[in-house]
Amino acid sequence: MRTVLACALWIAPALAHAAVPRDWLATTTLFGNPLHERLTLEADGDKLTGTLGDDKLEGTVKGAAIHFVAKSDDGSAAEVTATLGAGSQTMTGTWLRIEADDPKNPVKAAFTARTIPARRPGPPRRHEFAPTTFYRQFSADTKPVLTIWPGDSVHTTTVDAGGGDERGVTRVLGGNPQTGPFYVETAVPGDVLAVHLTRVRLNRDYAISDDAIVPRALGPALAVKMKDGGKTIRWRLDRERGMAVPEKPSDRLKGYSVPLKPMLGCVGVAPGFASAPPPTGDNGRYGGNMDFNEAVEGATVYLPVAQPGALLYVGDGHAVQGDGELNGNALETSMEVELSVDVIPHKRIGGPRVESATHIMALGYGGSLEDALRFAIANLAGWLEQDYKLDPSELAQVMGTAVEIKIGEVADRNAGVMAAIAKQRLAGLPRP
């Protein structure tokens, strides 16, 4: 009896430690605001190591009791004391944050965590989704319209920037109303959401624009000449010929036409902690109203995940748009869209990225074109560092000789710049 009991006492702690899962979604509720982070735990006996967000942690596990301290580079620290739930799939406890510059005033908050589900087995699924409600904010508070898994695809439609559908019926107030949000299982902060645009097609035969040029692009003399602009211009979309023409052209524009290039002005996810939900006319690190005319069929858009499930929104279809969206409106129209999603875990990116068959394209947004350029260059440099392990000298050599820069957006509050490199230029670089 003693031998059996001794063996049981000896193996019980090992079994408890082995039951601690590795990947968690941790939530700290600060003054009513949920902060979501990826938590990784590695158990070695009763010792714990891992990360909470970007911070490394050390701690202990004793039975169901978890304790660890996560330290930031600036010397601040977060102390978590929690208890594993039945089955070791949940965790509840407290979080105590001590700032390096204010150690006498720690902040205490409730802490919970749940394990991140494994990817669903079996083949991907294709979902048909007919939207009935459209949203005018990129919000984490909006209830998801559909839950999907990595590899799944969604076939759906969008309304135009003014809220009109494929029949020209106004379904919602204007301001780039969005289809979604779609909740992507396994996606947590610290991951990247890959959105593959497999079908971006026109589903009606007209578009709306105007005859103005946005103030950011106007000098004083041209601004005076354009002072009477802003009238609505309706365009006919000839899908068979692949061309757009003004429905009522002036005499000098009777021979003018432009090739169609359907695109999505908006591809975005819900922004992160303590951010007020931005309107769907805005853009930023979360993507949003990027108005980037390479978000076309066949492209992949990469977005940093900031909320559980990412919460993916799409909308603001354009039949064609010149660089920068100079009119303030492109050829605004409704769209038929099919997309598939994937999740790249444990990868952080500085902002939206787009990949085509020929280029990698990093986007930057800021209050000025100069700020947007800085963000775009930093985003591209991060891409080359992550995927090709280039050091600063190598980054400068490659980007200085191969980068392509263009203005993506000047119509909205933030300007947008694209920094791209042709894949052909990178073909000779070893890729780990």
Side-chain angles (χ1 to χ4, degrees):
M1 178 64 72
R2 289 182 179 178
T3 303
V4 173
L5 179 59
C7 288
L9 291 173
W10 180 78
I11 65 173
L15 290 174
H17 304 334
V20 178
R22 181 178 185 273
D23 292 311
W24 300 77
L25 171 64
T27 302
T28 306
T29 304
L30 287 166
F31 309 109
N33 298 294
L35 167 62
H36 302 290
E37 298 176 283
R38 178 184 280 273
L39 169 66
T40 61
L41 295 175
E42 300 283 355
D44 182 8
D46 63 354
K47 294 183 179 180
L48 286 177
T49 56
T51 56
L52 177 62
D54 290 327
D55 299 336
K56 293 182 178 180
L57 66 84
E58 293 184 353
T60 59
V61 52
K62 295 182 179 179
I66 296 281
H67 177 266
F68 62 79
V69 176
K71 295 183 178 180
S72 304
D73 290 339
D74 66 358
S76 300
E79 182 179 6
V80 171
T81 304
T83 302
L84 290 169
S88 300
Q89 301 299 301
T90 61
M91 195 187 304
T92 57
T94 58
W95 175 96
L96 187 69
R97 178 75 176 182
I98 302 173
E99 299 293 342
D101 58 358
D102 192 15
K104 294 183 179 181
N105 292 294
V107 177
K108 190 174 182 179
F111 177 89
T112 61
R114 61 175 175 83
T115 54
I116 299 171
R119 294 198 176 203
R120 186 186 60 201
R125 298 177 183 175
R126 185 177 187 269
H127 303 267
E128 287 285 349
F129 177 73
T132 57
T133 304
F134 303 87
Y135 296 96
R136 300 168 67 241
Q137 289 182 319
F138 298 108
S139 175
D141 297 325
T142 303
K143 183 179 179 180
V145 297
L146 184 67
T147 295
I148 58 179
W149 288 78
D152 284 1
S153 60
V154 179
H155 181 242
T156 188
T157 59
T158 69
V159 293
D160 66 22
D165 66 12
E166 65 272 19
R167 297 180 300 277
V169 176
T170 299
R171 304 273 300 278
V172 60
L173 292 176
N176 297 333
Q178 299 292 295
T179 298
F182 303 109
Y183 187 99
V184 184
E185 285 283 10
T186 79
V188 299
D191 296 343
V192 170
L193 181 69
V195 184
H196 308 290
L197 302 177
T198 54
R199 187 176 178 88
V200 181
R201 302 286 175 90
L202 304 175
N203 60 2
R204 74 183 194 202
D205 62 3
Y206 75 93
I208 300 297
S209 189
D210 57 37
D211 65 352
I213 292 180
V214 297
R216 186 182 260 126
L218 287 175
L222 187 55
V224 172
K225 294 178 183 179
M226 300 295 300
K227 63 182 177 64
D228 295 325
K231 297 185 293 295
T232 297
I233 305 296
R234 185 173 166 118
W235 292 73
R236 180 167 59 85
L237 308 179
D238 187 334
R239 287 181 276 175
E240 187 174 328
R241 293 177 54 239
M243 303 297 289
V245 297
E247 279 196 353
K248 297 179 180 179
S250 64
D251 288 342
R252 284 179 291 274
L253 293 184
K254 285 183 177 178
Y256 181 74
S257 62
V258 59
L260 296 172
K261 187 180 179 182
M263 54 162 284
L264 289 177
C266 292
V267 182
V269 293
F273 172 66
S275 295
T280 47
D282 244 343
N283 52 44
R285 186 173 181 270
Y286 55 90
N289 185 33
M290 298 183 289
D291 289 323
F292 179 50
N293 59 14
E294 296 298 333
V296 298
E297 184 172 306
T300 297
V301 180
Y302 300 99
L303 298 169
V305 176
Q307 295 286 350
L311 299 173
L312 172 65
Y313 295 83
V314 293
D316 188 27
H318 297 169
V320 61
Q321 177 200 296
D323 292 351
E325 198 180 26
L326 279 180
N327 296 130
N329 291 308
L331 298 199
E332 308 286 343
T333 190
S334 60
M335 204 72 72
E336 175 200 358
V337 177
E338 185 162 354
L339 57 88
S340 65
V341 297
D342 205 351
V343 175
I344 306 172
H346 300 283
K347 184 171 185 176
R348 293 186 179 272
I349 60 176
R353 298 173 178 176
V354 177
E355 183 174 1
S356 70
T358 60
H359 286 74
I360 62 170
M361 297 168 271
L363 307 182
Y365 294 92
S368 68
L369 284 169
E370 192 173 49
D371 287 342
L373 174 63
R374 292 191 184 103
F375 282 116
I377 293 298
N379 194 1
L380 182 60
W383 199 338
L384 296 173
E385 286 178 307
Q386 287 174 321
D387 286 19
Y388 295 90
K389 308 304 180 187
L390 301 187
D391 65 27
S393 174
E394 293 163 340
L395 283 173
Q397 294 174 63
V398 171
M399 294 172 69
T401 55
V403 74
E404 301 172 26
I405 295 173
K406 77 173 183 178
I407 295 173
E409 163 71 295
V410 294
D412 298 315
R413 181 176 65 85
N414 284 331
V417 169
M418 175 213 76
I421 291 182
K423 292 179 178 179
Q424 184 181 6
R425 302 278 77 79
L426 302 173
L429 301 182
R431 187 170 181 173

